[in-house]
Structure formats: structure tokens, C-alpha cells
Amino acid sequence: MNWITNYVRPRINSLFSRREVPENLWTKCPECGTMLFHRELAENLNVCSSCGHHMPISPRERFRNLFDGGIFTEVEVPKPVADPLQFRDQKRYPDRLRAAQKATGEPEAMLVAEGEMGRTPIVAAAQDFRFMGGSMGMYVGNAIICAAERAVETGRPLILFSAAGGARMQEGILALMQMPRTTVAVEMLKEAGLPYIVVLTHPTTGGVTASYAMLGDVQIAEPNALICFAGPRVIEQTIREKLPEGFQRAEYLLDHGMLDRVTDRRKLRDELITITRMMMKLPPAIAADLPAPADETAAPQADGAE
Amino acid sequence: MMSYLDFEKPLAEIEGKAEELRALARENDEIDIEKEVAALDEKAERLLEELYRNLSPWRKCQVARHPNRPHCLDYVEALFTDWMPLAGDRNFADDHAVVGGMARFRDRPVVVIGHEKGTDTKSRIERNFGMARPEGYRKAVRLMDLADRFGLPVITLVDTPGAYPGKGAEERGQSEAIARSTEKCLKIGVPIVSVIIGEGGSGGAVAFATADRVAMLEHSIYSVISPEGCASILWKNAEKMREAAEALRLTAQDLKALGVIDRIISEPIGGAHRHPEETIAAVGDAIDEMLSPLVKKSRKTLVRDRRRKYLEMGAKGLAA
């Protein structure tokens, strides 16, 4: 298996769903107020070029920048029973789901894909905060289980990008049961001796932090990401005291020994390549050797190597 | 003294009247009130039965949180012998919200772990109302390791509003501690049996209630979030807790239907707080029945079956 086969064989979903970035749109950095040209911001992985603030990035966009040449194969996630509790608050749960699907163009809150990253075969999973706050329900549980199974099947490391407000209330106790379920998935990786690397992104909270997002072999967070079990508002209400500056932010957790590293999104890919290649006992990646897919639609040349 | 829940008010009135009559009779033995008292007692009993036969989910929450409900240490005292509490996480502190140790259950040596809420103001504060900090979960992990090494089955008694949302708890890695505890529950090669005796509050409960067999008392609850919390987020109004309790399906009956728990332990009419001894005895029998077939299984089978159980959980929704 080399990179060529990865061009030819897989269903290349990334090509079908490629959204064009509008030409003349500007985004204001919520942190420093700088007006950022949309296209430049996208090229900068949604990181403000002025102050380094990390804005949200969709799983698909992240994968395009993670995998070699932006090419990845989506791993199909088994669909769970729809609306298992027939949950209804002010809106019906299926209506909330449909609205989220329409807004994001994604079926659910997690995307699983496989491909190569710096010519290192990996499986990756990324949570989509735009989709009902990235909340963990049966689908997200299934996604993590099938990502782990795929990683074990193919002997690849799993890199997981977390982003969630916690468990999905609309799935009640079944959402809560994703804590043990996803922990079983992590166990499978550990037993198979495969690396499980977690990248915690803003925000990662509640039952997600208290299960698969804190069980990585290596724990990396993006700068200033909120990472916690109970949110700051709940804590302030409980202890009736002002919380310190930067409380529950990535750097704060790093200081308190809860993380291995805090890494800028723009340097993340290189770090992940370095780390996974060491853990997989592969030689160092040679950056210059990487194929540069200038035109993604052009049929690549087969070199006959397998 | 029994404290009455809001929906038990009519009952409190009747029982109060009967009590007054009795007091009157004690002062003046010429009055014969036997008939009246008997009638009131009967009325009270009927009302109690009516109230408890069809408790709404929100009322079940109230019963599950009842201050007179038997708590973890009541069970430990009644059901176990040679109770040897073991303290500390060997890192930072001993969390008094979590009790744990070795004991004998019907002669069999076991490890017991549970949340303790406390019984009066002083002990409730000392126990932090059953809300554990990372040290509590790390103590549990340590005790489960011990159980695993020496082949002792683990029995957990779950009764917590949730893990403690505090500054120090967060700084010391509340989420990591919970995740490790759940992980340990899944990993140990000895039987693990769990009973939810009151409140199963979210992740703080999962950390102990990930088990080969999980039972719930008839009027206990187990939920992803408290009804009040859910109401304030989804209804933007904490007063909508009745609706939220309904929607969340947090009762033992719903959880059994969803295949999340294995059995329901009946409570006497009027709830565990009116009849603690009977309730505790029923929990003891249920633990015994759940544990007996498990102790015969090999380490490998136990771990494999436990994992499979969780992987398959929820696949059928309410049709389970």
C-alpha cells in the first residue's frame, strides 16, 4: 500500500463535498477584532494571523489539511436507532437533528476517515461542534467504536479530535452509556498495541472529557481550548467564588499536569506525524518526499508498487 | 422523624390527625378513640399505596433523594461482616464522599465501593453530599486493582447527585479520574456487580456503575443530567423539571426497558425510607443472585462478556 493506491481506490468523498470558499468575505477575529480575508483564514486553518486565536474548524476541513494531499476515505459509521427515547423538549429531537444536518451538511457529530498523514497510515475521527454542540450520543459512540475497530483491523494508530459540550441529553441514559462504550473502544486499541492520540479542541467538556478524550496515550490540546468536566458557570454557582484567569483552559491544564502538550493548529500535523511515526517505530518522515497533489481531480499515475 | 415530600402532604395530614388522637387518648383514658384511629390508619395506608403505585418520574426523583432513604453505609453495616474500610488514593487525600474497603458478603470476601451522602447536617458536609472528587475515583481505582489482584468480587453501591463541580476537583483532573475509574471497571478480571440505591447522577455514577450486572431499586434514578439541569438548558426554565424528568426516561422501569440495567429491586409500599430493613435485605438477596453465577466464570470470560454487553447496549432503543 502506498500513496498512489490511496488516490485510486477509495471513494474520495472529499471531492464531492468540497465547498467553495466565497471570494470576497471577511471574518472578524472574535479575540482581537482584526478583519481577516476568508480565503487566507481558511489557508491558515482558521487561526487568526494577527493574534493566533483558534476559531472552530469543521472535521472535513481539518481532514483536508491533515491527510496527504487532502485525500481521505470516509469510514462508514453504523447508524443507531433514531430517537431512541422519543425525546421531546420544546422541540422534537428528530427536528433538532434535521436542523443540524441542514446547517452542517453532515449526518451527525463525528466524522471518521482513513488515509495517510505524512505517508503514515492512520485512522482519524473528529467531532463536529457545530452539530448540536458535538454532543455524544449513540452515533458518536458508534463512530468511535468503528474507528477503533478499523484501526485494529488495519494496524493503524487512531487520532481523535474531540470537541463537545458533553453527552446528548436527548438520548438520555443511552448517551451516558457511551462513556463505557467508547472506553471499550479505547481498550481495543491498547490491547492491539496501537497508539491512541487525542487532540482536545475547544471546547471539550462533560462526559466526553470524562471518557475517551482523557484516555489517550498522548494528550495534546489546541491553545486556549476549554477542557473540563463541569463548566465554569456551574462551578461558580457551586462555590460562589470567582475563578482564576485562564481556568480550565488548555494552558492551565498543562500546568496542572493534565496534558502532554499544547500545540498550535498550524504545527499540529507535523507533530502528529513525528509522534505517530515514533510510536509505530517507523523511520522519520522526509518532508520533501511527500507527493504534492497539485490537481486533485487529475488521475494519478500508477507506479506499480504495492 | 419522618420528613414528608410535597406530594405526601395529604398523607401527612391524616397521619398527623391520627397522632393527635393518640396523644389525646394518652392524656385521657376515658375517651375511646380506637375506632377513629384505626379508620385513619387505614385511610393513610390506602393513600400511601395509591401514591406509590404510580409515582411519576419527578416524584421518583424526590423519593430517590429522600433524606431518610437508607444510604451506602446502612447497607454496608447490614449486609456485610468483617467490614474493613480502606482509605486514600495514595496521591492527594481521602475522599469521604466515597467509602470503600474489604468485607465479607455472606462469608465471601469482597471489595465494596460506594458513594455515601451522610445522614445529618454534619455528616452530609463531611461526605460532601455524596459528590466525589478525583481522589474518590482514584481510591476506587486502587481498590478495584486490589480486588483484581486477589480475586475478590467487587460490589458497588451508587448514590450520588454527580461528581463534585469544584475548582480543586477540576484542577486535579476530575474528568481523567472518572474516565480511569470506568476504564478499571471494564478491565478487572473479577465479577463486578452494581446497585443504584438512590441517585445515579451522570458520569459520577458511571464511574462505579459500569458492571457485569447492574440493578436499581424501584424508586431510584439514573440519568445523564439532573432534571433541573436539563430543564434549565432545554426549556430555559429550571421549573420545568417535571417535564424533563419525564423526557429523560431516568426511572428504573425505563432503564430496564432500554436494556441498560439488568434488574429492578422492589421497594416496600411507601418507599425504602419507610422500610429500610426490608429494602436492604432485598438488595442483599439481589446482589447474591447476581453474583453467584458470575464467580464461576473465568477472568477472560468476565471481561469479554462485560465489553460485549456495553458494545451492544442501546442498539434496539426502547424495543430492547
Side-chain angles (χ1 to χ4, degrees), chain B residues 50 101 125 227 257 267 284 316:
Chain B
E50 234 167 78
I125 290 169
E267 291 183 34
K316 293 181 196 136

Side-chain angles (χ1 to χ4, degrees), chain B residues 82-207:
Chain B
D82 285 355
W83 168 233
M84 192 58 60
L86 302 172
D89 70 343
R90 300 295 183 272
N91 273 303
F92 182 78
D94 182 45
D95 186 347
H96 300 298
V98 173
V99 295
M102 289 187 274
R104 283 181 190 273
F105 176 71
R106 305 194 175 176
D107 291 337
R108 189 195 304 283
V110 297
V111 162
V112 192
I113 300 166
H115 304 94
E116 174 56 47
K117 283 183 167 177
T119 47
D120 51 27
T121 308
K122 190 170 167 263
S123 64
R124 278 184 198 119
I125 290 169
E126 192 207 326
R127 303 288 182 187
N128 200 28
F129 304 90
M131 292 185 281
R133 297 182 166 92
E135 299 76 66
Y137 298 109
R138 289 180 182 137
K139 170 162 75 180
V141 167
R142 191 175 72 79
L143 294 179
M144 283 192 265
D145 263 332
L146 186 118
D148 195 20
R149 265 204 317 285
F150 295 95
L152 310 176
V154 176
I155 296 167
T156 66
L157 298 168
V158 176
D159 191 12
T160 179
Y164 185 59
K167 181 170 165 277
E170 289 287 323
E171 285 171 346
R172 296 192 298 278
Q174 186 71 293
S175 11
E176 197 258 1
I178 293 171
R180 294 281 171 214
S181 184
T182 313
E183 185 186 41
K184 188 59 73 184
C185 288
L186 286 162
K187 219 178 196 165
I188 50 175
V190 289
I192 172 165
V193 162
S194 180
V195 183
I196 295 160
I197 54 174
E199 272 186 284
S202 196
V206 171

Side-chain angles (χ1 to χ4, degrees), chain B residues 21-293:
Chain B
L21 279 179
R22 275 196 199 98
L24 209 65
R26 274 197 294 276
E27 278 163 27
N28 187 345
D29 19 74
E30 271 152 52
I31 314 174
D32 181 24
I33 46 119
E34 228 166 80
K35 255 193 200 149
E36 282 87 343
V37 171
L40 282 173
D41 281 349
E42 204 195 306
K43 202 172 159 193
E45 204 171 303
R46 257 201 323 252
L47 183 61
L48 188 70
E49 204 181 319
E50 234 167 78
L51 282 173
Y52 275 79
R53 200 184 303 129
N54 279 310
L55 285 179
S56 69
W58 171 246
R59 286 181 177 180
K60 277 187 188 274
C61 294
Q62 293 175 282
V63 175
R65 295 168 179 171
H66 198 288
N68 298 125
R69 199 170 168 85
H71 291 148
C72 180
L73 285 175
D74 301 317
Y75 289 88
V76 170
E77 203 174 299
L79 296 177
F80 298 87
T81 51
D82 285 355
W83 168 233
M84 192 58 60
L86 302 172
D89 70 343
R90 300 295 183 272
N91 273 303
F92 182 78
D94 182 45
D95 186 347
H96 300 298
V98 173
V99 295
M102 289 187 274
R104 283 181 190 273
F105 176 71
R106 305 194 175 176
D107 291 337
R108 189 195 304 283
V110 297
V111 162
V112 192
I113 300 166
H115 304 94
E116 174 56 47
K117 283 183 167 177
T119 47
D120 51 27
T121 308
K122 190 170 167 263
S123 64
R124 278 184 198 119
I125 290 169
E126 192 207 326
R127 303 288 182 187
N128 200 28
F129 304 90
M131 292 185 281
R133 297 182 166 92
E135 299 76 66
Y137 298 109
R138 289 180 182 137
K139 170 162 75 180
V141 167
R142 191 175 72 79
L143 294 179
M144 283 192 265
D145 263 332
L146 186 118
D148 195 20
R149 265 204 317 285
F150 295 95
L152 310 176
V154 176
I155 296 167
T156 66
L157 298 168
V158 176
D159 191 12
T160 179
Y164 185 59
K167 181 170 165 277
E170 289 287 323
E171 285 171 346
R172 296 192 298 278
Q174 186 71 293
S175 11
E176 197 258 1
I178 293 171
R180 294 281 171 214
S181 184
T182 313
E183 185 186 41
K184 188 59 73 184
C185 288
L186 286 162
K187 219 178 196 165
I188 50 175
V190 289
I192 172 165
V193 162
S194 180
V195 183
I196 295 160
I197 54 174
E199 272 186 284
S202 196
V206 171
F208 293 173
T210 301
D212 295 317
R213 297 286 180 276
V214 181
M216 279 176 82
L217 272 176
E218 189 183 348
H219 306 313
S220 62
I221 56 165
Y222 189 10
S223 180
V224 66
I225 186 170
S226 71
E228 295 92 332
C230 179
S232 74
I233 298 170
L234 290 182
W235 277 265
K236 317 251 180 281
N237 179 1
E239 297 292 306
K240 295 278 184 194
M241 66 267 186
R242 286 172 190 79
E243 286 84 343
E246 203 83 44
L248 281 166
R249 299 194 187 266
L250 41 68
T251 67
Q253 295 69 28
D254 280 326
L255 268 73
K256 180 77 175 48
L258 284 163
V260 171
I261 61 160
D262 301 286
R263 64 189 285 164
I264 299 171
I265 306 167
S266 300
E267 291 183 34
I269 295 287
H273 54 287
R274 283 195 173 78
H275 309 276
E277 285 93 11
E278 280 173 76
T279 309
I280 291 170
V283 167
D285 291 342
I287 292 175
D288 195 26
E289 281 170 37
M290 291 192 289
L291 200 55
S292 299

Side-chain angles (χ1 to χ4, degrees), chain A residues 8-291:
Chain A
V8 186
R9 285 189 190 151
R11 218 162 26 102
I12 303 169
N13 291 19
S14 56
L15 292 184
F16 299 118
S17 56
R18 200 162 192 38
R19 259 182 305 158
E20 281 307 308
V21 178
E23 270 304 319
N24 47 5
L25 269 176
W26 295 79
T27 302
K28 189 175 174 184
C29 171
E31 212 41 46
C32 69
T34 308
M35 296 302 287
L36 302 158
F37 190 47
H38 215 97
R39 178 164 274 183
E40 269 167 42
L41 185 61
E43 274 164 19
N44 215 22
L45 307 178
N46 289 4
V47 177
C48 172
S49 50
S50 168
C51 72
H53 175 63
H54 283 52
M55 294 176 216
I57 184 167
S58 72
R60 219 166 271 281
E61 199 58 42
R62 192 183 278 282
F63 285 175
R64 264 184 227 125
N65 290 290
L66 181 75
F67 289 100
D68 295 343
I71 309 290
F72 58 89
T73 310
E74 245 180 275
V75 177
E76 204 182 319
V77 177
K79 282 200 176 48
V81 177
D83 192 12
L85 306 187
Q86 288 141 33
F87 192 97
R88 188 192 177 118
D89 50 87
Q90 288 173 308
K91 278 186 199 155
R92 288 170 61 238
Y93 175 39
D95 293 341
R96 284 191 193 266
L97 269 179
R98 262 192 296 276
Q101 283 161 347
K102 214 174 145 198
T104 58
E106 299 289 351
E108 253 282 2
M110 189 168 263
L111 186 64
V112 183
E114 55 187 335
E116 294 196 353
M117 172 190 75
R119 302 186 77 168
T120 320
I122 60 156
V123 176
Q127 216 154 356
D128 196 337
F129 191 71
R130 302 167 308 159
F131 196 105
M132 295 187 75
S135 53
M136 168 179 71
M138 286 289 290
Y139 186 95
V140 168
N142 284 0
I144 293 169
I145 290 164
C146 99
E149 283 173 345
R150 190 72 196 138
V152 172
E153 245 171 62
T154 54
R156 296 175 179 212
L158 173 61
I159 300 176
L160 185 137
F161 300 85
S162 68
R168 187 171 294 170
M169 281 177 283
Q170 289 87 349
E171 294 187 18
I173 191 74
L174 293 179
L176 193 66
M177 288 302 114
Q178 303 315 306
M179 291 175 66
R181 279 186 96 221
T182 55
T183 306
V184 173
V186 176
E187 286 288 292
M188 293 183 205
L189 290 165
K190 294 197 172 166
E191 257 179 29
L194 293 166
Y196 170 51
I197 298 168
V198 183
V199 179
L200 297 109
T201 78
H202 179 76
T204 299
T205 72
V208 169
T209 326
S211 57
Y212 60 88
M214 270 292 165
L215 294 172
D217 297 306
V218 180
Q219 298 275 131
I220 305 174
E222 288 192 340
N224 204 37
L226 177 76
I227 302 159
C228 59
F229 178 65
R233 237 180 314 154
V234 176
I235 296 173
E236 274 185 338
Q237 278 165 14
T238 311
I239 63 171
R240 293 171 203 286
E241 126 185 21
K242 207 89 190 96
L243 294 166
E245 176 84 17
F247 183 66
Q248 298 180 322
R249 297 290 169 165
E251 296 74 8
Y252 197 89
L253 267 81
L254 186 69
D255 267 354
H256 283 83
M258 290 299 142
L259 296 172
D260 290 297
R261 304 180 60 76
V262 175
T263 302
D264 190 298
R265 193 182 288 157
R266 294 163 291 188
K267 294 187 183 138
L268 196 55
R269 182 174 182 271
D270 284 347
E271 259 189 29
L272 289 171
I273 293 170
T274 307
I275 292 169
T276 44
R277 290 189 74 86
M278 283 196 273
M279 291 177 92
M280 296 299 286
K281 297 197 186 68
L282 294 166
I286 304 159
D289 191 34
L290 290 180

